[in-house]
Amino acid sequence: MGLVGADIGPVRAREEFLRGGTVEGTVRSPILDSWQRSRSLGLAPESCELPYRPDLDLDGRLVRAATPVLDRLQARFAGRNMNVSLADGHGAVLQRRFGDTSLVRHLAAIQSVPGFVFAEEFAGTNGIGLALAERQLINVYGAEHFAERSQANACAAVPVRDPLSGRIEGVLCFGFPPTDADAALNDVISRAAGAIERRLLEQSSTRERALLQAYLDARSGAPAGEATVDGQPGGLAGSGLDWRDEMILKERATELISAAQRAAVEVPLPGGRRITLLSRPVTSPSGVEGVVIEAVLPSPHQHLAVLTTAESAPGPPAPQALAPAPPPGPLPGSAPERPAAPARPPGAPGTAGQPADGAAGRLVLIGEPGVGTYAVAARRRLELLSEASTRIGTTLDVSRTARELAEMAVPRLADYVTIDLPEAVLRGEEPTDPRAGLHRTVVHGIRDDCPFYPAGEPVDLRPSTPQLRCLADGQPVLEPDLRTAGGWIAQDPAHARRLLGHDIHSLIAVPLLARGIALGTASFYRSRDPAPFGDDDLSLAQELGTRAAICIDNARRFTREHAMVLALQRSLLPQSIPEQNAVEVAHRYMPAESRVGGDWFDVIPLSGTRVALVVGDVVGHGVHAAATMGRLRTAARNFAELDFGPDEVLTHLDNLVGRLDRDEDTAGSTGIIGATCLYVLYDPTTRQCVMARAGHPPPALARPDGTVTFPELPAGPPLGLGGLPFETAEFTLPEGSRLVLYTDGLVGGRHRDVDTALDQLRGALAPPDRPPEETCEAVVRAVVPEHPADDIALLVARTHALDPGRIATWDLPADPALVSGVRAAVTRQLAAWGLHDVVFATELLLSELVTNAIRYGAAPIQVRLLHDRTLICEVSDAGSTAPRLRHAAGTDEGGRGLFLVAQLAQAWGTRYTSGGKVIWAECALEAPAGGPGAAAAYFDDIPAL
């Protein structure tokens, strides 16, 4: 930041701001925030009147602790144009020191006389006020001051905290000309503030020693022979209590000190034992008031301590077991277990109760109530953080993790919590600008009627709001009093008034930072407790936010990976079901909530109106499983289109998986490839269904009469084991039967009974005549768990039969002279079907196919026409030699027949059967391009068949 006289940037920025212009990015955010707060408070640069307080305690503990430090600073800056100020926690100056003492005669009273209040609400932007507002080391240079009278000055200021409570007790401030600015001054002022804080701690130790001495003086009449430590009555040492017992007693004693009342409570210890703690006030000769806690230990003849005085007041109920959590820094209320009380106290003032005869009182703790309160609060903060480690991040869901943060904070830290995350984070992406595209992700509090912006909607926040300020600076922002928080109010004044009307009065905004990335912001609001948030609350909120941010980032990264794998998985699954008439199909793919696996399905039309139905499941999850699934699905489709039987397809897939696994092992990959598969082949001309499986659950078969069965199929081994054959099972299905293929995620799981799931599936399939789409919906509702732990692929196929009137069959002897008779019969059949346009092309196809079967095949020979979406011509024979397409030379007398078939047919091929082979060709139901004349002309140019 430039200084006045060296750079005019701040001057022009300040002028632009006062004219109402936008200066974001040209002024440091703490300065701009302070300017905005000053304007919202109605301050004017030319008239910042400072109140004067003549009733200050100029000899209080802060001044006593700071005086030697101020003396050393004054000596260090002797002769320099430097002044050192000490202000209290409200901004009122308590002391001023000058390096050049002659400066006092030339300075105005507000710059030289103690008592003036430099809080930001009165003085605008200045070192003391801004250090109190930002609660950290602050530098203000020249034109950055709000008041015009301070334009020629520069300053560095730092809060001074009580080491025990963390509360800001005051501010140490250096003032100097802007030309004397030196980065080393920040180090000097920080070390000076630390020295004052150490002296404050020493004062607390002195008070502690005074309280302990008063206690010892009151117990000076201990009976002869009582055990002593260093000449004093013994404490818990030698009492038979182990370290766990002492920890429990000290935690309870700290709570009693913080309560600052006479009490006698029984504290349960492990093993069914109970110890009575007595609390009573004690006052030192110098007037320091505290509380002493004694443990009443039973004598060897007693099982527990008993009170004998009616004066003892019952204390609060014994606490639950608390984790040991020492307060920050030495604790005056935790004096060492020094002397113990005698069996009979000498009637000192303040005695709350006396041990019974034979019981010994032992000192547990002694201290001031305020310090006890700090210790209890510190322990509870550590307990909250410890619990947060186990309760935040239980899932890998971004929104749920954010809600767990809010649930942890309410009501133990805040009364309301709102969390805003960029839309990119919710999608699993890394935000480019965390301040843009914020969505209100969580609203949680002690009541549901507080008018915060609702969850699930975008929020458009101004740069002046604490939420965007914390995102811009990467530091938490504390607004102790929202009534004076101009940036927060400016977001929506009407909305701010409604919140203030619900007693919302204090705010902490924390950036959710993880691995250097801002993922959003969490806002903590207080309403029930009249005290505003303090620095301890700020530190706790920041620590909670940091821990939650790591969990949110883990969830975001998982969401991104899950989305990528899911996108890959879906891209490798069928994007649409191919058109065919054999089965009516519906399907579902449901990824697991936490991990995407390798489940897949496919519908593959085959020759002769047949169709193959396939489902499979690759071992493992993630990208590796999805990629492997894609390779297997492609291979299965290729093997199926070669017209292999189900057992042959599984054998080829088994070999492929074995090769893939060996390749993975050679490449050093730790991924083991394995898969299961179910392959079903259905022929609508015969209603025959052939199935084979490789370690996969059998399908469900719902017949038209409502019966549901799970066919017994030979249980082949999973793919990849190799060496074992696969067997098939064949069924004849009534038309309208429903085949339900699924992966084991539908019926399996660690917490599910397979038989119960199969019964649920049977019940969902029982209603007859239900279309496949409705069947899918019913199965999903009845069988799919609410939170699937594994992927689920579901395929429902309702079978159809090809009308026998659309099938024509002729058996032929191996006589070439009969080819013309077949052509005539085919012509009549096509005319009966109304397919006049394709007669000529079909005659050509069948002539070639029949002639090849007669010349190169073996009897019996059969011709079959199938009238489906296309016209399918099939010629079968008992031979095993398939024709091969080749390009005939100009002088060749043959070899052009299959070339002609390939030109006239949409597709053609050969499939092998148990009794030979079938050569087939598919023709469109309309005339080929160019009409019959084109085919006839080509036929005239080739040798006669």
Side-chain angles (χ1 to χ4, degrees):
M1 194 65 187
L3 307 179
V4 173
D7 180 47
I8 60 173
V11 178
R12 291 182 178 174
R14 182 173 177 274
E15 292 174 352
E16 181 66 22
F17 171 80
L18 294 176
R19 287 196 299 265
T22 300
V23 294
E24 280 83 359
T26 62
V27 181
R28 291 182 295 149
S29 58
I31 301 299
L32 179 57
D33 295 340
S34 180
W35 287 356
Q36 292 171 337
R37 290 193 295 269
S38 300
R39 287 291 296 271
S40 68
L41 292 169
L43 300 180
E46 65 279 359
S47 58
C48 289
E49 299 297 331
L50 306 185
Y52 177 75
R53 292 179 53 189
D55 57 341
L56 297 176
D57 183 4
L58 300 180
D59 193 31
R61 61 190 296 263
L62 177 62
V63 175
R64 293 197 304 272
T67 295
V69 179
L70 296 178
D71 291 342
R72 292 198 297 272
L73 290 174
Q74 185 174 14
R76 175 169 182 161
F77 297 135
R80 294 181 57 181
N81 188 4
M82 177 78 71
N83 71 84
V84 181
S85 305
L86 177 71
D88 64 13
H90 301 287
V93 175
L94 301 175
Q95 277 203 22
R96 285 190 181 273
R97 302 295 183 89
F98 296 91
D100 183 356
T101 56
S102 64
L103 291 174
V104 180
R105 297 192 297 269
H106 306 291
L107 294 176
I110 62 171
Q111 296 176 304
S112 58
V113 177
F116 286 95
V117 181
F118 281 80
E120 190 181 61
E121 59 185 298
F122 305 114
T125 309
N126 70 93
I128 294 174
L130 194 53
L132 288 174
E134 296 290 332
R135 313 177 83 81
Q136 60 181 334
L137 175 65
I138 285 296
N139 293 280
V140 184
Y141 303 107
E144 293 181 335
H145 288 86
F146 190 77
E148 290 182 351
R149 62 169 172 266
S150 302
Q151 299 295 297
N153 301 324
C155 61
V158 65
V160 177
R161 288 179 166 83
D162 186 319
L164 295 175
S165 66
R167 185 179 63 242
I168 293 179
E169 295 290 335
V171 176
L172 183 65
C173 182
F174 291 175
F176 45 87
T179 53
D180 291 348
D182 187 346
L185 288 176
N186 286 345
D187 180 60
V188 174
I189 197 171
S190 297
R191 288 190 287 111
I196 297 174
E197 291 171 351
R198 288 192 295 274
R199 290 182 59 80
L200 285 172
L201 183 60
E202 291 173 1
Q203 290 182 12
S204 297
S205 300
T206 301
R207 297 167 69 88
E208 177 193 40
R209 288 193 293 271
L211 285 174
L212 181 59
Q213 188 59 50
Y215 171 75
L216 295 177
D217 291 343
R219 295 305 194 199
S220 58
E226 183 177 308
T228 61
V229 178
D230 296 332
Q232 302 292 351
L236 292 177
S239 63
L241 302 174
D242 61 19
W243 65 271
R244 298 178 185 83
D245 300 330
E246 295 183 13
M247 180 185 68
I248 295 172
L249 292 177
K250 288 178 181 179
E251 288 179 354
R252 190 68 179 96
T254 303
E255 294 184 354
L256 292 174
I257 290 175
S258 67
Q261 62 182 6
R262 299 169 184 262
V265 297
E266 281 190 344
V267 180
L269 297 178
R273 297 166 298 148
R274 306 180 76 84
I275 293 292
T276 300
L277 294 184
L278 302 178
S279 67
R280 61 185 179 84
V282 61
T283 304
S284 72
S286 60
V288 179
E289 297 181 352
V291 177
V292 62
I293 308 296
E294 293 176 312
V296 180
L297 305 179
S299 69
H301 305 290
Q302 293 176 309
H303 295 290
L304 56 85
V306 181
L307 295 179
T308 60
T309 174
E311 193 177 326
S312 302
Q320 302 295 324
L322 301 177
L331 176 62
S334 57
E337 293 119 13
R338 296 280 302 249
R344 264 182 211 170
T351 300
Q354 298 178 356
D357 290 341
R362 306 291 184 97
L363 177 65
V364 179
L365 287 178
I366 188 170
E368 297 179 75
V371 175
T373 301
Y374 304 148
V376 171
R379 186 175 70 244
R380 289 175 179 169
R381 287 194 296 271
L382 289 177
E383 290 170 357
L384 180 60
L385 289 176
S386 177
E387 188 177 347
S389 299
T390 59
R391 289 186 53 189
I392 299 178
T394 60
T395 70
L396 287 172
D397 180 82
V398 173
S399 299
R400 178 59 198 162
T401 303
R403 185 162 190 84
E404 288 170 347
L405 166 61
E407 291 172 347
M408 277 302 307
V410 176
R412 295 159 70 177
L413 171 62
D415 297 312
Y416 298 94
V417 174
T418 64
I419 299 177
D420 303 323
L421 303 178
E423 186 178 6
V425 172
L426 297 174
R427 293 195 305 265
E429 302 170 5
E430 186 174 305
T432 55
D433 183 358
R435 295 169 293 179
L438 286 174
H439 271 64
R440 178 60 48 88
T441 306
V442 175
V443 177
H444 182 64
I446 56 175
R447 295 172 55 183
D448 296 331
D449 60 349
C450 204
F452 291 101
Y453 294 145
E457 296 185 4
V459 288
D460 185 14
L461 301 178
R462 292 174 177 264
S464 62
T465 57
Q467 289 82 359
L468 288 198
R469 284 159 48 202
C470 79
L471 285 176
D473 299 337
Q475 297 294 328
V477 174
L478 170 60
E479 291 287 1
D481 187 357
L482 289 176
R483 293 170 299 179
T484 61
W488 179 77
I489 294 174
Q491 165 67 25
D492 187 343
H495 183 251
R497 286 194 297 270
R498 289 196 297 273
L499 289 175
L500 293 173
H502 279 70
D503 298 325
I504 303 292
H505 62 80
S506 191
L507 163 67
I508 295 175
V510 175
L512 300 176
L513 300 174
R515 303 178 180 93
I517 303 172
L519 303 175
T521 177
S523 303
F524 303 85
Y525 294 87
R526 177 169 286 178
S527 64
R528 292 183 301 174
D529 189 346
F533 284 123
D535 284 344
D536 288 340
D537 302 311
L538 183 69
S539 299
L540 177 58
Q542 184 176 16
E543 181 65 24
L544 279 176
T546 299
R547 297 189 182 199
I550 296 295
C551 297
I552 290 174
D553 191 50
N554 289 338
R556 177 192 67 80
R557 290 167 178 259
F558 172 80
T559 301
R560 179 186 60 186
E561 179 181 344
H562 186 270
M564 291 172 57
V565 176
L566 184 57
L568 174 62
Q569 173 88 337
R570 292 192 183 280
S571 70
L572 295 175
L573 290 172
Q575 303 303 303
S576 61
I577 298 299
E579 295 182 355
Q580 42 76 41
N581 291 338
V583 291
E584 181 184 353
V585 175
H587 58 87
R588 294 289 186 276
Y589 171 72
M590 290 154 284
E593 278 197 344
S594 58
R595 303 174 299 173
V596 176
D599 291 18
W600 54 282
F601 64 90
D602 210 344
V603 178
I604 310 170
L606 300 176
S607 64
T609 71
R610 299 169 306 143
V611 65
L613 308 174
V614 193
V615 290
D617 185 0
V618 175
V619 173
H621 297 84
V623 175
H624 182 267
T628 302
M629 177 274 291
R631 299 164 80 177
L632 289 184
R633 176 177 171 251
T634 301
R637 175 172 283 270
N638 291 335
F639 294 145
E641 291 182 349
L642 290 174
D643 275 318
F644 292 140
D647 52 339
E648 295 176 289
V649 171
L650 293 183
T651 299
H652 286 295
L653 289 177
D654 182 56
N655 294 334
L656 173 63
V657 171
R659 288 195 299 272
L660 292 176
D661 204 14
R662 289 191 294 272
D663 292 344
E664 292 281 341
D665 186 59
T666 303
S669 173
T670 57
I672 298 176
I673 298 176
T676 65
C677 184
L678 171 64
Y679 190 97
V680 176
L681 183 61
Y682 175 69
D683 187 345
T685 65
T686 61
R687 295 184 285 108
Q688 293 297 308
C689 182
V690 184
M691 308 179 189
R693 64 184 178 125
H696 201 87
L701 174 58
R703 297 181 183 273
D705 60 3
T707 59
V708 179
T709 59
F710 296 92
E712 291 292 335
L713 302 184
L719 300 177
L721 296 184
L724 297 176
F726 297 96
E727 300 180 43
T728 61
E730 187 170 345
F731 306 90
T732 300
L733 303 181
E735 185 175 7
S737 299
R738 285 169 293 163
L739 282 166
V740 181
L741 289 69
Y742 52 89
T743 54
D744 60 0
L746 180 68
V747 297
R750 289 182 299 175
H751 306 294
R752 302 182 70 196
D753 181 72
V754 175
D755 291 336
T756 301
L758 291 176
D759 287 340
Q760 293 172 342
L761 178 59
R762 182 181 287 108
L765 298 176
D769 299 328
R770 177 179 277 172
E773 190 64 35
E774 294 182 11
T775 302
C776 273
E777 290 295 332
V779 170
V780 170
R781 288 194 303 268
V783 189
V784 174
E786 184 177 357
H787 302 286
D790 194 7
D791 288 20
I792 297 173
L794 175 65
L795 184 64
V796 177
R798 182 163 64 178
T799 63
H800 296 292
L802 186 61
D803 185 351
R806 287 175 172 258
I807 304 174
T809 304
W810 298 273
D811 294 321
L812 298 179
D815 184 356
L818 300 178
V819 174
S820 60
V822 172
R823 287 204 301 265
V826 168
T827 300
R828 290 192 298 272
Q829 184 63 59
L830 294 179
W833 286 342
L835 302 179
H836 302 283
D837 292 342
V838 296
V839 169
F840 189 78
T842 305
E843 287 181 348
L844 292 180
L845 289 174
L846 282 177
S847 295
E848 173 60 26
L849 297 180
V850 171
T851 301
N852 279 339
I854 293 174
R855 287 182 178 179
Y856 308 111
I861 300 173
Q862 185 182 76
V863 176
R864 186 170 73 157
L865 291 184
L866 303 176
H867 181 194
D868 194 45
R869 290 177 176 270
T870 59
L871 179 65
I872 303 172
C873 305
E874 295 182 346
V875 177
S876 62
D877 66 79
S880 60
T881 303
R884 184 167 56 89
L885 178 67
R886 65 185 181 88
H887 288 278
T891 58
D892 290 345
E893 294 186 0
R896 296 178 178 84
L898 285 182
F899 184 75
L900 178 62
V901 171
Q903 294 298 310
L904 296 178
Q906 290 183 338
W908 74 279
T910 303
R911 69 173 181 268
Y912 292 93
T913 65
S914 58
K917 67 178 182 296
V918 176
I919 303 175
W920 56 270
E922 290 187 8
C923 300
L925 298 182
E926 65 276 359
Y938 185 82
F939 183 72
D940 291 339
D941 292 336
I942 62 176
L945 294 176

